[in-house]
Amino acid sequence: MLLRSIEHIQETMEKHRYITDRPLATIIYLSQILEKPILLEGQAGVGKTDVAKVLAEVLETKLIRLQCYEGIDISQAVYEWNYPKQILRIKLEELGSGSKETVENEIFSESFLLKRPLLEAITSDSAVPPVLLIDEIDRADDEFEGFLLEVLSDFQITIPEIGTIKANRRPFVVLTSNRTRELHDALKRRCLYHWIDYPSFEKEFRIVTTKIPGINELLARKVCNFMQAVRQMDFFKSPGIAETLDWATALVFLNKDDLDRDTVEATLGCIFKYNQDIDRVKEGQLEAILEKSNAVQAG
Ligand SMILES: Nc1ncnc2c1ncn2[C@@H]1O[C@H](COP(=O)(O)OP(=O)(O)OP(=O)(O)O)[C@@H](O)[C@H]1O
Ligand SMILES: [Mg+2]
């Protein structure tokens, strides 16, 4: 087995700088045993996409990514016929004396296919199966979700001109969703589900010190306390781990090792991405958050 145990997953993912708590490591372990896709949901910037990237690094295998968006269809997700190559083949044949039927068979064979992520993942013959990341599935429409359901049930794809292509070995599949809409129960049923929450102070502190090795420990604590306090409050958009890392990195570059009002005000754009949130902080919440985060620090 490639991923030997839950502890092994935690250790190796941490070596690749991803802090994995036990529930997530358990889901990854089970997905390998049950050969089921993982569905990760959570707010923006909490580390969903990174799970697939780091898993591919840990397994030393290819990451095949399908970024979903409104209107995505089979030609972008599964396959497309290579029209220029087909036309060229037809033109060449016109110069020769081959039969029409032979050319037709040939131009609708596998070598005239352009493989898109789903077909690439299913036909992969690498020693270790690839990691297939189906990112932000909630952005795709219902019809595409229905199609995906079929693929993830049998790990096979039917191309009318060729027939059914079945995976020799199932890829590791990670789906992510920001939950901008509910996914269908039928899709969820085929997956192992895990909600990635905002991190605890301890987890966020470990992430910051792992990702920004040179950071002053005290500053890292203050930043994490500040972010924990911010997430307790009511903002239009709470910041994720991505924002914490951006902010901490910015502070290091600015040679700051303490959080004072001026520094925080000048760097609020690393934390908040909505004007009304920045205004709210400036208009009264900032002192309270600073006091709270510094008090926790002192304790
Ligand atoms: N547990 C973790 N350990 C280490 N780094 C983390 C962890 N969680 C998140 N990060 C870091 O936070 C940043 C955001 O992560 P990622 O892009 O995976 O979030 P996401 O949930 O996919 O966000 P979005 O919904 O915006 O796509 C990345 O730089 C990632 O490395
Ligand atoms: Mg993402």
Short mmCIF file of all heavy atoms in Angstrom, two decimals, residues 32-64:
data_model
loop_
_atom_site.label_atom_id
_atom_site.label_comp_id
_atom_site.label_asym_id
_atom_site.label_seq_id
_atom_site.Cartn_x
_atom_site.Cartn_y
_atom_site.Cartn_z
N GLN A 32 -7.89 5.59 -0.11
CA GLN A 32 -7.01 4.64 -0.78
C GLN A 32 -7.55 3.21 -0.63
O GLN A 32 -7.59 2.44 -1.59
CB GLN A 32 -5.61 4.75 -0.15
CG GLN A 32 -4.66 3.69 -0.59
CD GLN A 32 -3.38 3.72 0.24
OE1 GLN A 32 -2.30 3.78 -0.29
NE2 GLN A 32 -3.52 3.69 1.54
N ILE A 33 -8.01 2.89 0.58
CA ILE A 33 -8.48 1.53 0.82
C ILE A 33 -9.80 1.25 0.09
O ILE A 33 -9.97 0.22 -0.54
CB ILE A 33 -8.66 1.29 2.33
CG1 ILE A 33 -7.29 1.33 3.00
CG2 ILE A 33 -9.37 -0.02 2.63
CD1 ILE A 33 -7.33 1.20 4.48
N LEU A 34 -10.71 2.21 0.18
CA LEU A 34 -12.04 1.99 -0.42
C LEU A 34 -12.09 2.40 -1.90
O LEU A 34 -13.10 2.22 -2.55
CB LEU A 34 -13.10 2.79 0.36
CG LEU A 34 -13.20 2.50 1.86
CD1 LEU A 34 -14.17 3.47 2.52
CD2 LEU A 34 -13.63 1.07 2.12
N GLU A 35 -10.98 2.95 -2.38
CA GLU A 35 -10.89 3.42 -3.78
C GLU A 35 -12.03 4.38 -4.11
O GLU A 35 -12.72 4.24 -5.12
CB GLU A 35 -10.87 2.25 -4.75
CG GLU A 35 -9.64 1.38 -4.61
CD GLU A 35 -9.44 0.45 -5.79
OE1 GLU A 35 -10.44 0.03 -6.38
OE2 GLU A 35 -8.27 0.15 -6.11
N LYS A 36 -12.25 5.31 -3.20
CA LYS A 36 -13.31 6.30 -3.42
C LYS A 36 -12.71 7.70 -3.49
O LYS A 36 -11.74 8.00 -2.80
CB LYS A 36 -14.29 6.26 -2.25
CG LYS A 36 -15.31 5.16 -2.35
CD LYS A 36 -16.40 5.39 -1.33
CE LYS A 36 -17.66 4.65 -1.72
NZ LYS A 36 -18.86 5.24 -1.20
N PRO A 37 -13.33 8.57 -4.29
CA PRO A 37 -12.87 9.95 -4.34
C PRO A 37 -13.09 10.66 -3.00
O PRO A 37 -13.97 10.26 -2.23
CB PRO A 37 -13.75 10.59 -5.41
CG PRO A 37 -14.33 9.46 -6.19
CD PRO A 37 -14.42 8.31 -5.26
N ILE A 38 -12.28 11.68 -2.76
CA ILE A 38 -12.46 12.52 -1.56
C ILE A 38 -13.15 13.80 -2.01
O ILE A 38 -12.73 14.41 -2.99
CB ILE A 38 -11.10 12.91 -0.96
CG1 ILE A 38 -10.28 11.68 -0.60
CG2 ILE A 38 -11.27 13.81 0.25
CD1 ILE A 38 -8.84 12.01 -0.18
N LEU A 39 -14.18 14.19 -1.29
CA LEU A 39 -14.81 15.49 -1.57
C LEU A 39 -14.49 16.43 -0.41
O LEU A 39 -14.86 16.17 0.74
CB LEU A 39 -16.34 15.32 -1.70
CG LEU A 39 -17.15 16.62 -1.74
CD1 LEU A 39 -16.75 17.51 -2.91
CD2 LEU A 39 -18.65 16.31 -1.81
N LEU A 40 -13.74 17.49 -0.72
CA LEU A 40 -13.37 18.46 0.30
C LEU A 40 -14.19 19.72 0.13
O LEU A 40 -14.19 20.33 -0.95
CB LEU A 40 -11.88 18.82 0.16
CG LEU A 40 -10.88 17.69 0.35
CD1 LEU A 40 -9.47 18.19 0.06
CD2 LEU A 40 -10.96 17.12 1.77
N GLU A 41 -14.88 20.10 1.20
CA GLU A 41 -15.60 21.37 1.16
C GLU A 41 -15.03 22.27 2.25
O GLU A 41 -14.48 21.81 3.25
CB GLU A 41 -17.10 21.15 1.39
CG GLU A 41 -17.83 20.70 0.14
CD GLU A 41 -19.35 20.85 0.23
OE1 GLU A 41 -19.91 20.69 1.33
OE2 GLU A 41 -19.96 21.12 -0.80
N GLY A 42 -15.21 23.57 2.06
CA GLY A 42 -14.73 24.52 3.06
C GLY A 42 -14.70 25.91 2.46
O GLY A 42 -14.84 26.07 1.24
N GLN A 43 -14.50 26.88 3.33
CA GLN A 43 -14.44 28.27 2.87
C GLN A 43 -13.20 28.47 1.98
O GLN A 43 -12.33 27.61 1.93
CB GLN A 43 -14.34 29.22 4.07
CG GLN A 43 -15.45 29.08 5.08
CD GLN A 43 -16.79 29.58 4.57
OE1 GLN A 43 -16.85 30.25 3.53
NE2 GLN A 43 -17.86 29.26 5.26
N ALA A 44 -13.13 29.63 1.35
CA ALA A 44 -11.99 29.91 0.46
C ALA A 44 -10.69 30.00 1.27
O ALA A 44 -10.68 30.52 2.39
CB ALA A 44 -12.23 31.23 -0.27
N GLY A 45 -9.64 29.45 0.70
CA GLY A 45 -8.30 29.62 1.27
C GLY A 45 -8.01 28.80 2.52
O GLY A 45 -7.11 29.14 3.29
N VAL A 46 -8.72 27.69 2.72
CA VAL A 46 -8.44 26.87 3.92
C VAL A 46 -7.57 25.65 3.62
O VAL A 46 -7.29 24.85 4.52
CB VAL A 46 -9.75 26.42 4.65
CG1 VAL A 46 -10.46 27.61 5.25
CG2 VAL A 46 -10.66 25.65 3.71
N GLY A 47 -7.16 25.50 2.36
CA GLY A 47 -6.22 24.41 2.06
C GLY A 47 -6.83 23.22 1.34
O GLY A 47 -6.28 22.11 1.43
N LYS A 48 -7.90 23.41 0.58
CA LYS A 48 -8.54 22.28 -0.11
C LYS A 48 -7.69 21.83 -1.31
O LYS A 48 -7.34 20.66 -1.43
CB LYS A 48 -9.95 22.68 -0.59
CG LYS A 48 -10.86 23.13 0.55
CD LYS A 48 -12.24 23.49 0.05
CE LYS A 48 -12.29 24.69 -0.86
NZ LYS A 48 -11.88 25.97 -0.21
N THR A 49 -7.39 22.78 -2.18
CA THR A 49 -6.66 22.43 -3.41
C THR A 49 -5.28 21.86 -3.10
O THR A 49 -4.82 20.93 -3.75
CB THR A 49 -6.53 23.69 -4.30
OG1 THR A 49 -7.85 24.17 -4.58
CG2 THR A 49 -5.82 23.40 -5.59
N ASP A 50 -4.68 22.41 -2.06
CA ASP A 50 -3.32 21.98 -1.70
C ASP A 50 -3.26 20.51 -1.30
O ASP A 50 -2.22 19.88 -1.46
CB ASP A 50 -2.80 22.86 -0.56
CG ASP A 50 -1.44 23.44 -0.89
OD1 ASP A 50 -1.16 23.62 -2.09
OD2 ASP A 50 -0.65 23.69 0.04
N VAL A 51 -4.35 19.97 -0.80
CA VAL A 51 -4.35 18.55 -0.40
C VAL A 51 -3.97 17.69 -1.62
O VAL A 51 -3.10 16.82 -1.53
CB VAL A 51 -5.74 18.11 0.14
CG1 VAL A 51 -5.80 16.60 0.30
CG2 VAL A 51 -6.03 18.81 1.46
N ALA A 52 -4.60 17.97 -2.76
CA ALA A 52 -4.33 17.17 -3.96
C ALA A 52 -2.89 17.38 -4.44
O ALA A 52 -2.19 16.43 -4.80
CB ALA A 52 -5.31 17.53 -5.06
N LYS A 53 -2.45 18.65 -4.42
CA LYS A 53 -1.09 18.95 -4.90
C LYS A 53 -0.06 18.21 -4.04
O LYS A 53 0.87 17.60 -4.56
CB LYS A 53 -0.83 20.45 -4.82
CG LYS A 53 -1.63 21.27 -5.80
CD LYS A 53 -1.14 22.72 -5.71
CE LYS A 53 -1.99 23.66 -6.53
NZ LYS A 53 -1.73 25.06 -6.22
N VAL A 54 -0.25 18.28 -2.72
CA VAL A 54 0.74 17.68 -1.82
C VAL A 54 0.66 16.15 -1.88
O VAL A 54 1.68 15.47 -1.83
CB VAL A 54 0.55 18.21 -0.37
CG1 VAL A 54 1.46 17.51 0.60
CG2 VAL A 54 0.80 19.71 -0.34
N LEU A 55 -0.54 15.64 -2.04
CA LEU A 55 -0.70 14.18 -2.16
C LEU A 55 0.08 13.66 -3.37
O LEU A 55 0.76 12.63 -3.29
CB LEU A 55 -2.19 13.86 -2.29
CG LEU A 55 -2.60 12.41 -2.05
CD1 LEU A 55 -2.15 11.93 -0.68
CD2 LEU A 55 -4.12 12.27 -2.17
N ALA A 56 0.02 14.40 -4.47
CA ALA A 56 0.76 13.98 -5.67
C ALA A 56 2.27 14.02 -5.40
O ALA A 56 3.01 13.14 -5.83
CB ALA A 56 0.41 14.88 -6.85
N GLU A 57 2.71 15.02 -4.65
CA GLU A 57 4.15 15.10 -4.31
C GLU A 57 4.55 13.92 -3.43
O GLU A 57 5.57 13.28 -3.64
CB GLU A 57 4.44 16.39 -3.54
CG GLU A 57 4.45 17.64 -4.42
CD GLU A 57 4.69 18.90 -3.58
OE1 GLU A 57 5.21 18.79 -2.45
OE2 GLU A 57 4.33 19.99 -4.05
N VAL A 58 3.71 13.63 -2.43
CA VAL A 58 4.00 12.53 -1.50
C VAL A 58 4.07 11.20 -2.25
O VAL A 58 4.95 10.38 -2.01
CB VAL A 58 2.92 12.47 -0.39
CG1 VAL A 58 2.96 11.16 0.35
CG2 VAL A 58 3.08 13.64 0.57
N LEU A 59 3.15 11.02 -3.18
CA LEU A 59 3.09 9.75 -3.92
C LEU A 59 4.08 9.73 -5.09
O LEU A 59 4.20 8.72 -5.79
CB LEU A 59 1.68 9.52 -4.46
CG LEU A 59 0.58 9.28 -3.41
CD1 LEU A 59 -0.79 9.44 -4.03
CD2 LEU A 59 0.73 7.89 -2.82
N GLU A 60 4.73 10.87 -5.30
CA GLU A 60 5.66 11.02 -6.43
C GLU A 60 4.97 10.64 -7.74
O GLU A 60 5.48 9.83 -8.52
CB GLU A 60 6.93 10.22 -6.22
CG GLU A 60 7.74 10.74 -5.04
CD GLU A 60 9.01 9.95 -4.81
OE1 GLU A 60 9.43 9.21 -5.70
OE2 GLU A 60 9.58 10.10 -3.72
N THR A 61 3.80 11.18 -7.91
CA THR A 61 3.06 10.88 -9.13
C THR A 61 2.54 12.18 -9.74
O THR A 61 2.68 13.26 -9.16
CB THR A 61 1.92 9.89 -8.84
OG1 THR A 61 1.37 9.45 -10.06
CG2 THR A 61 0.81 10.52 -8.01
N LYS A 62 1.92 12.03 -10.90
CA LYS A 62 1.47 13.21 -11.63
C LYS A 62 0.18 13.77 -11.04
O LYS A 62 -0.71 13.01 -10.64
CB LYS A 62 1.24 12.80 -13.09
CG LYS A 62 0.99 13.96 -13.99
CD LYS A 62 1.01 13.52 -15.45
CE LYS A 62 0.74 14.73 -16.32
NZ LYS A 62 0.64 14.40 -17.73
N LEU A 63 0.10 15.09 -11.01
CA LEU A 63 -1.15 15.75 -10.63
C LEU A 63 -1.87 16.15 -11.92
O LEU A 63 -1.31 16.88 -12.73
CB LEU A 63 -0.88 16.99 -9.79
CG LEU A 63 -2.11 17.84 -9.46
CD1 LEU A 63 -2.95 17.17 -8.37
CD2 LEU A 63 -1.71 19.24 -9.01
N ILE A 64 -3.07 15.63 -12.10
CA ILE A 64 -3.86 16.02 -13.28
C ILE A 64 -5.01 16.88 -12.78
O ILE A 64 -5.80 16.44 -11.96
CB ILE A 64 -4.39 14.77 -14.02
CG1 ILE A 64 -3.22 13.91 -14.48
CG2 ILE A 64 -5.27 15.19 -15.20
CD1 ILE A 64 -3.62 12.59 -15.12
#
